[in-house]
Amino acid sequence: IVLGYGLCGKSLEGLVSSKSYMILPKCDDCISLFLGSAREYKKQAKKAPGSYYLTRGYIGESENPMLSNYSEMKEKYGEETLEWIIREMIKNYTRLVYINTGNYPPEEWREFAKNQAKKLNLSFEEVKGTDDYFSKLLSCNWDEEFLIIKPGEKIRFEMFKDNNDVNN
């Protein structure tokens, strides 16, 4: 079973397959997949810890990529309360980063991300992404950046620990 997914808030912790091997990127956040490595994500996090990342996929068709159910929430709480909720959600962020993966024309998505940054009073930065992690995953080029989980073995948080240092 090949998973194109990082640990992402411990969402994979405890996952087990009784009959199949599981192969997954050894990264604690999905953003690493778009930046090409856990090392690059750690560098970005060290550079500006309060960063919110967007890609074309994260932006989707949403009015607000921070809330996929923006319209529902707006109807339920009203615009003023919803804006307060969003500000509370991002109060520890200082930078909005648009990851340009090069897989589509970026102009529309870059502009959307810039406008979101301005609206939320965050600095804007564009960084170059890469498909390297995905390419290695799909081509079975599984090196130290991947976990190979044996049948019956559970995914554990500790398995991801040695990628926590930028100097790895």
Side-chain angles (χ1 to χ4, degrees), residues 12-26:
L12 294 181
E13 190 170 30
L15 186 66
V16 64
S17 172
S18 60
K19 296 179 183 176
S20 300
Y21 280 84
M22 292 185 291
I23 314 301
L24 64 147
K26 190 176 185 177

Side-chain angles (χ1 to χ4, degrees), residues 22-23 57 91 106 115 117-118 131 137 143-144 158 160 164:
M22 292 185 291
I23 314 301
K91 69 182 176 185
N115 289 335
K118 186 175 181 176
D131 292 334
L137 180 65
D143 57 16
E144 70 281 347
E158 296 78 32
F160 296 83
N164 288 338

Side-chain angles (χ1 to χ4, degrees), residues 9-86:
K10 295 187 181 181
S11 62
L12 294 181
E13 190 170 30
L15 186 66
V16 64
S17 172
S18 60
K19 296 179 183 176
S20 300
Y21 280 84
M22 292 185 291
I23 314 301
L24 64 147
K26 190 176 185 177
C27 59
D28 57 355
D29 194 289
C30 295
I31 296 302
S32 300
L33 300 174
F34 299 105
L35 293 174
S37 70
R39 173 182 276 144
E40 183 59 31
Y41 174 67
K42 300 295 179 192
K43 273 200 270 185
Q44 288 292 327
K46 188 174 183 180
K47 174 182 173 182
S51 296
Y52 192 93
Y53 296 88
L54 290 178
T55 65
R56 161 62 183 102
Y58 287 145
I59 293 170
E61 305 303 322
S62 176
E63 297 171 61
N64 187 310
M66 284 144 203
L67 286 175
S68 58
N69 57 346
Y70 182 83
S71 297
E72 266 178 55
M73 299 280 284
K74 185 176 176 180
E75 190 174 309
K76 184 174 182 176
Y77 296 110
E79 192 163 354
E80 190 174 313
T81 301
L82 183 55
E83 291 302 316
W84 177 84
I85 290 170
I86 292 170

Side-chain angles (χ1 to χ4, degrees), residues 131-144:
D131 292 334
D132 291 353
Y133 230 142
F134 291 112
S135 293
K136 286 168 69 174
L137 180 65
L138 296 175
S139 66
C140 303
N141 186 11
W142 305 322
D143 57 16
E144 70 281 347

